[in-house]
Amino acid sequence: MFSEYREQIEQLRASDKNFSRLCDKHSALGAQVDALVQRKSPSLQVEIESLKKQKLAVKEELYAMLREAEPMLALKQQKNYVNLTTLAEMSGVRLSA
């Protein structure tokens, strides 16, 4: 899910309990869908479709949260870089570009 946001997902999972809960819910829904599909029963199609819709709704919510957090996460990364640069300068280490 959202491979281009892998690093941001890790950061948000660590810092936002709601985001982490939604990620877990998305995974659980995926596992439920997979389990029902494996049973290959036409009578389960309505349930499978319902779970897929729930999973999509959670995914859309996660994506919105990622997009909303993007500027904040970028700023944190920039701040961490500046901190590393400052630390290197203070210790006399030259960082290569």
Side-chain angles (χ1 to χ4, degrees):
M1 171 183 63
F2 306 125
S3 59
E4 67 276 16
Y5 289 103
R6 184 163 286 135
E7 189 175 317
Q8 293 90 334
I9 290 171
E10 288 176 19
Q11 290 174 352
L12 277 176
R13 283 195 79 140
S15 64
D16 186 329
K17 289 180 183 179
N18 186 45
F19 185 86
S20 184
R21 182 187 60 78
L22 286 172
C23 285
D24 292 341
K25 183 175 182 177
H26 183 267
S27 294
L29 287 167
Q32 286 178 305
V33 168
D34 292 343
L36 291 177
V37 167
Q38 292 297 321
R39 290 172 54 184
K40 298 179 181 175
S41 172
S43 64
L44 296 173
Q45 287 305 312
V46 172
E47 188 176 353
I48 291 170
E49 292 305 314
S50 174
L51 289 171
K52 285 182 176 182
K53 288 177 183 178
Q54 290 176 46
K55 184 179 175 192
L56 180 59
V58 170
K59 187 174 185 176
E60 289 172 347
E61 190 172 351
L62 288 167
Y63 183 71
M65 293 173 79
L66 278 167
R67 297 289 294 164
E68 185 178 311
E70 212 167 12
M72 180 219 28
L73 293 173
L75 184 60
K76 277 186 176 179
Q77 286 177 335
Q78 182 180 12
K79 185 178 179 184
N80 287 339
Y81 174 76
V82 170
N83 289 342
L84 288 175
T85 303
T86 304
L87 179 61
E89 288 172 359
M90 289 175 20
S91 61
V93 175
R94 180 185 162 118
L95 297 176
S96 58

